[in-house]
Amino acid sequence: MRQVRYESFGEVEVLELVEAEQPAPGANEVLIRVAGAGLNPIDWKTRKGLGFAARQIENRLPFVPGFEVAGVVEQVGEDVSEMMPGDRVMGLVGFPAGGGGYADYALARAEDLAIVPEELDLVSAGAVPLAALTAWQALFEVAELEAGQKVLILAGAGGVGHFAVQFALERGAHVIATASDRNRDFLAELGVHEVIDYHTTDVAEECYGLDLVLDLVGGETGKHALKTLGDQGVMVTVPTVTADEIISHAENLGLKAHGMTMRPDAYQLDDIAELIEDGDVRVHIDQAFPLEQAGEAHRLLEGGHVRGKLVLDCST
C-alpha cells in the first residue's frame, strides 16, 4: 500500500510517498480502507517539529501524518463487535502520537469510530472528525455555551471555525465571526449574524461584553480579542503553542481563558453525524488532493486562508 511519511522534521520536502506493508488490526482495532484523510494545522506544525505531538514522536521517526480519516472497514480485530467489514466509518487514527492517516489503509480503535451518514461522501467525511470534535468540545465542554449567549469565533471560515459557527448557531447562540472579506458571503450563508473583516476592523472596537471568544488563531490576535469579553465571559484558545501566554494575559486582565486538547469521542461524533444527516451542518471542502500531492496540500494549509477543510483523496 501507499503511505506518506517523513523521516525528519522540516519543510514540505521531507514528505515522501512510499510503499509499505498493509497493517493488520490488533485486538479492538479496525483496518480502514481510506477514502479521505483530512488535513489540519497540527499536521504541518508537527512536520516542522512544533507543538505537543512533535515532542511525542521526535525520538521515533519516521512518522506517517494524518489524524482523521473516513473510509470502509476492511477488517476487524479480535473483540470488535460494533463494526463489520463494509461499514462506512469516520474517526480519529493514532491521535495524538500515532498518526497514520495519509495512507491507503489505516488502523483505528473501534471505539473512536462513527458511522458516516449516507448523505456525506467518504472523501468529505475524512475532513470531519478532528476539526468538528475540536469545535464541539471547545464550545460545549470547556465553554459550556448556552442558548442566547454572544460568541465571537476568530477565523470562522476555517476548518474548525466553519464547524464552530454552525454548532453555536444550532445551540441558539448569537454568532460573530472574524474572516477576510472574501469569506463574508460564505459565513453569511452558514447563518452567522455578524462578520468582521479582520483586515479593516479592530475587533475590540466592534465587540464588547461577550460571553465567549473561541480563539482559533492564537498569539497576539488571541490576546487582543480578550478585550471583547464581558466580566463573566470566557475565552477558549485552541492553538497550543500560545495557550499559556494567552491564559496568563487573561489572568492579568482579571479575565478567564482556557486552553484545550481535543480527544476522541465517538458519541459526540455520532451527534455531529446526525446534524450532518439532518442538513443542519454542512462540511465544506476547499480542495481535495491525491495522496501523491500531500506536499502541495501542506503548502496551501500552512499558508493559511483555507476556507473550510483540505482533504487527501486516497480513493484514486
Side-chain angles (χ1 to χ4, degrees), residues 203-232:
V203 69
E205 294 180 1
E206 194 74 15
C207 302
Y208 58 91
L210 300 181
D211 298 296
L212 167 64
V213 175
L214 177 56
D215 169 32
L216 303 174
V217 179
E220 294 303 316
T221 299
K223 288 182 184 177
H224 187 65
L226 286 165
K227 298 177 182 178
T228 67
L229 286 173
D231 292 340
Q232 302 303 313

Side-chain angles (χ1 to χ4, degrees), residues 131-150:
L133 284 173
T134 299
W136 189 275
Q137 292 170 14
L139 291 174
F140 304 139
E141 289 190 349
V142 183
E144 299 180 337
L145 180 67
E146 298 178 357
Q149 290 187 325
K150 287 190 173 182

Side-chain angles (χ1 to χ4, degrees), residues 1-7 15-23 62 64 102-105 291-292 314 316:
M1 71 168 195
R2 302 171 304 161
Q3 65 179 201
V4 174
R5 71 178 189 186
Y6 49 85
E7 297 187 357
L15 294 172
E16 57 179 352
L17 184 66
V18 300
E19 288 291 329
E21 187 174 339
Q22 181 176 308
V64 179
Y102 291 13
D104 289 323
Y105 292 88
L291 196 58
E292 60 267 23
C314 304
T316 56

Side-chain angles (χ1 to χ4, degrees), residues 41-181:
I42 191 175
D43 295 351
W44 69 259
K45 291 176 183 177
T46 303
R47 188 204 75 228
K48 297 185 81 165
L50 305 173
F52 74 100
R55 299 286 71 79
Q56 297 185 63
I57 68 169
E58 59 187 346
N59 294 321
R60 48 186 181 84
L61 299 175
F63 180 71
V64 179
F67 294 116
E68 61 178 0
V69 303
V72 176
V73 174
E74 182 81 5
Q75 187 181 351
V76 299
E78 186 180 351
D79 298 328
V80 174
S81 58
E82 62 269 42
M83 301 285 173
M84 62 180 61
D87 283 347
R88 290 163 32 96
V89 297
M90 62 181 175
L92 294 172
V93 293
F95 185 83
Y102 291 13
D104 289 323
Y105 292 88
L107 292 174
R109 298 189 305 174
E111 64 190 47
D112 294 339
L113 299 174
I115 297 296
V116 176
E118 290 299 327
E119 291 78 6
L120 185 60
D121 69 273
L122 285 174
V123 175
S124 297
V128 171
L130 191 149
L133 284 173
T134 299
W136 189 275
Q137 292 170 14
L139 291 174
F140 304 139
E141 289 190 349
V142 183
E144 299 180 337
L145 180 67
E146 298 178 357
Q149 290 187 325
K150 287 190 173 182
V151 55
L152 169 65
I153 298 173
L154 304 181
V160 175
H162 90 293
F163 285 118
V165 298
Q166 294 179 84
F167 295 160
L169 288 165
E170 180 65 21
R171 188 58 59 97
H174 180 92
V175 179
I176 309 162
T178 63
S180 61
D181 187 63

Side-chain angles (χ1 to χ4, degrees), residues 155-158 165 175-202 206 282 307:
V165 298
V175 179
I176 309 162
T178 63
S180 61
D181 187 63
R182 79 178 186 91
N183 285 318
R184 182 179 298 275
D185 289 345
F186 170 68
L187 288 172
E189 290 172 4
L190 295 180
V192 172
H193 297 101
E194 303 174 55
V195 181
I196 296 174
D197 183 351
Y198 63 86
H199 290 297
T200 61
T201 304
D202 185 337
E206 194 74 15
R282 64 186 179 96
R307 177 184 293 171

